[in-house]
Amino acid sequence: METEPLCVSLATGMMYSDRLNIDRYTQGFLENHKGLTEDYWPLYAVAGGIGVFISWVWSLLLGSYANEMMKVSVHILTTYLAVVSVLCFWCRQFFWGGAFAVGALLQFLYVISVIDRLPFTMLVLRKALKLVWGLPKVIMVAHAFTVVMLLWMSLWSFGAAGVVASSMGDEGRWWLLVVLSVSLFWTGAVLCNTVHVIVSGMVFHVLFHCGQEESSSLPPSSLIDSLRYAVTTSFGSICYGSLFTAAIRTLRWEIRGFRSKICGNECLLCCVDFLFHLVETLVRFFNKYAYVQIAVYGKGFNKSARDAWELFQSTGVEALVAYDCSGAVLLMGTIFGGLITGSCIGIWAWIKYSDRVIMVASTAMLMGMVLVGLGMVVVESAVTSIYICFAEDPLLIQRWDADFFTEMSEVLHRRLQHRSSRSREVLTTA
């Protein structure tokens, strides 16, 4: 009879929120909210499933309805951010409501500032999609890396769910979630850039050697060689570059967009120019075009980035790269996919655990962004390879697609003329 309470206790022990009675050590400086890791992990599991689904569906739709999907990426993100902002204010989450409202405003201003560049951007993205869909094995590698990322997230989400369920106060949990989010972002960036190197090597090989024949003339071992090279010899450079390239690139897009619209305000233009030249210096050493040089020539990251940028500046192609917004358009699709994931999980969390909805929804949004980004990086890799080939030997692009070569040449000529006229205006006013 004496053992019965012990048996009942052992049988029901799995339902205790503090199985090891750790709270007896934390009383006085933690808030001691009850919760189980198992309560929150299913939300993250569903977030991973939604992210993979959106990534694969988005990739398929891009291949079939490229123009429509790119227009959706550009225009719907502002609306969605505004709607999420209103919902956050309605739930009395004023900080997040303000953050999403600012995001919607910045997105709207950026689209307005680059609206004249979108036709050329859409053309480049269509040609990049044409290249990628001509290499089905590369698409399969990208999907395989998505599965690898999902497996890593299954482990990562246990840590995130444990932090959300822990007895810490809100401040302590948020700091731990920030650390976990940085680790997830870097891991996702490393996998994205590994795919970037693989796809860049394959696309460069197609443009350099095969012209119109595309994948039919590729050696059978070329994909395996690119994969092995990316995860062995070049992996250190990929990890190093993944720390900085995404943040610097996003900052550069925003500054370029606003800089082109404030020519009348000399004081503000002076401040923005200072930031612009600072970011341009960083871009010289951290840019996505380095991954093409890594894939093709096996250089280190900093040397690859510097050589790629010097190549663009010496040939004038940097003016064309600066005019193109394809990376920003793909990033909009990535953020939109993350917002959908976060919204779905946020609604579920609001129904079950309303006091922790922001923690769960924000980390779920990051999971969705990373997974959708792995699908988008394939197209971005093709874009970077096109520009590197155009800078090294324009005839490579002409042999592959003569009409596209003509369009790129005309846009480059107009951009160089525009820069020359602006330089003359500056000298005249000075």
Side-chain angles (χ1 to χ4, degrees):
M1 295 296 293
E2 294 180 359
T3 60
E4 184 176 350
L6 178 61
C7 294
V8 173
S9 177
L10 290 173
T12 60
M14 293 299 291
M15 300 303 295
Y16 293 162
S17 60
D18 187 19
R19 303 186 188 98
L20 301 179
N21 197 22
I22 293 175
D23 279 350
R24 69 176 182 270
Y25 303 112
T26 63
Q27 290 178 357
F29 62 91
L30 297 179
E31 295 182 4
N32 297 301
H33 293 300
K34 293 182 179 180
L36 285 168
T37 300
E38 294 93 318
D39 294 337
Y40 299 95
W41 187 82
L43 280 75
Y44 288 110
V46 174
I50 293 173
V52 171
F53 176 76
I54 294 174
S55 176
W56 288 351
V57 169
W58 199 270
S59 299
L60 289 173
L61 291 176
L62 270 178
S64 304
Y65 307 99
N67 275 341
E68 291 77 5
M69 293 306 297
M70 287 183 283
K71 290 177 182 177
V72 166
S73 298
V74 171
H75 297 295
I76 203 172
L77 182 58
T78 304
T79 305
Y80 201 90
L81 285 169
V83 170
V84 173
S85 173
V86 171
L87 291 175
C88 287
F89 281 121
W90 181 65
C91 296
R92 298 182 181 278
Q93 297 290 340
F94 298 110
F95 171 80
W96 290 101
F100 282 114
V102 171
L105 178 61
L106 291 176
Q107 166 68 9
F108 175 76
L109 292 175
Y110 177 76
V111 172
I112 293 299
S113 67
V114 300
I115 196 74
D116 57 323
R117 307 182 193 179
L118 292 180
F120 176 71
T121 297
M122 299 300 180
L123 173 65
V124 173
L125 286 172
R126 284 199 306 272
K127 297 303 179 180
L129 283 164
K130 174 185 174 183
L131 265 175
V132 168
W133 283 99
L135 299 168
K137 291 183 179 179
V138 167
I139 302 293
M140 293 174 61
V141 169
H143 290 335
F145 271 82
T146 302
V147 173
V148 172
M149 188 70 235
L150 191 62
L151 292 174
W152 163 249
M153 283 182 174
S154 65
L155 177 63
W156 177 90
S157 60
F158 273 110
V163 170
V164 174
S166 71
S167 56
M168 291 185 182
D170 284 347
E171 184 176 352
R173 281 183 292 173
W174 273 114
W175 277 112
L176 285 176
L177 285 176
V178 168
V179 172
L180 286 171
S181 297
V182 170
S183 73
L184 178 65
F185 179 81
W186 188 32
T187 305
V190 168
L191 290 181
C192 282
N193 291 328
T194 302
V195 175
H196 197 151
V197 170
I198 295 169
V199 177
S200 297
M202 294 292 293
V203 170
F204 191 91
H205 188 87
V206 168
L207 292 174
F208 195 82
H209 295 289
C210 304
Q212 294 282 0
E213 298 175 13
E214 296 190 359
S215 61
S216 60
S217 297
L218 289 176
S221 62
S222 57
L223 179 60
I224 302 300
D225 291 341
S226 295
L227 176 60
R228 184 173 61 248
Y229 184 76
V231 299
T232 54
T233 307
S234 298
F235 196 65
S237 294
I238 292 171
C239 293
Y240 172 66
S242 300
L243 280 170
F244 308 103
T245 50
I248 293 173
R249 183 177 51 187
T250 304
L251 183 61
R252 182 171 180 262
W253 288 333
E254 293 292 341
I255 292 175
R256 274 193 177 277
F258 293 128
R259 184 173 179 259
S260 63
K261 298 298 180 182
I262 57 173
C263 298
N265 190 326
E266 293 185 4
C267 180
L268 185 58
L269 182 61
C270 181
C271 296
V272 172
D273 271 342
F274 172 75
L275 291 175
F276 175 74
H277 290 300
L278 179 62
V279 172
E280 286 293 299
T281 302
L282 293 174
V283 166
R284 185 180 181 87
F285 298 98
F286 301 100
N287 61 72
K288 62 183 179 180
Y289 303 96
Y291 296 111
V292 184
Q293 298 270 335
I294 291 171
V296 177
Y297 302 113
K299 303 174 183 177
F301 181 83
N302 283 138
K303 182 171 175 52
S304 296
R306 189 166 56 251
D307 289 351
W309 208 245
E310 288 176 357
L311 174 66
F312 286 155
Q313 290 186 324
S314 63
T315 57
V317 176
E318 190 270 334
L320 197 62
V321 170
Y323 186 69
D324 175 41
C325 302
S326 56
V329 171
L330 294 173
L331 179 62
M332 292 173 196
T334 300
I335 294 174
F336 182 61
L339 284 172
I340 293 176
T341 305
S343 299
C344 294
I345 301 305
I347 293 171
W348 185 11
W350 183 71
I351 294 172
K352 297 188 67 176
Y353 316 104
S354 59
D355 59 326
R356 306 186 186 184
V357 59
I358 297 297
M359 289 184 181
V360 175
S362 58
T363 46
M365 183 182 77
L366 181 61
M367 291 176 66
M369 287 178 59
V370 170
L371 290 167
V372 176
L374 272 168
M376 298 291 184
V377 75
V378 179
V379 183
E380 189 172 18
S381 303
V383 172
T384 57
S385 299
I386 286 172
Y387 281 121
I388 289 290
C389 287
F390 186 72
E392 289 198 350
D393 187 357
L395 294 179
L396 297 175
I397 304 299
Q398 185 181 35
R399 187 178 62 181
W400 173 61
D401 191 321
D403 293 336
F404 181 47
F405 166 79
T406 302
E407 185 69 25
M408 289 186 74
S409 300
E410 290 177 355
V411 173
L412 176 59
H413 180 67
R414 290 199 300 269
R415 295 312 302 168
L416 291 175
Q417 281 187 328
H418 174 73
R419 285 193 173 187
S420 178
S421 62
R422 286 192 63 179
S423 298
R424 286 196 298 270
E425 287 177 7
V426 171
L427 291 174
T428 302
T429 56

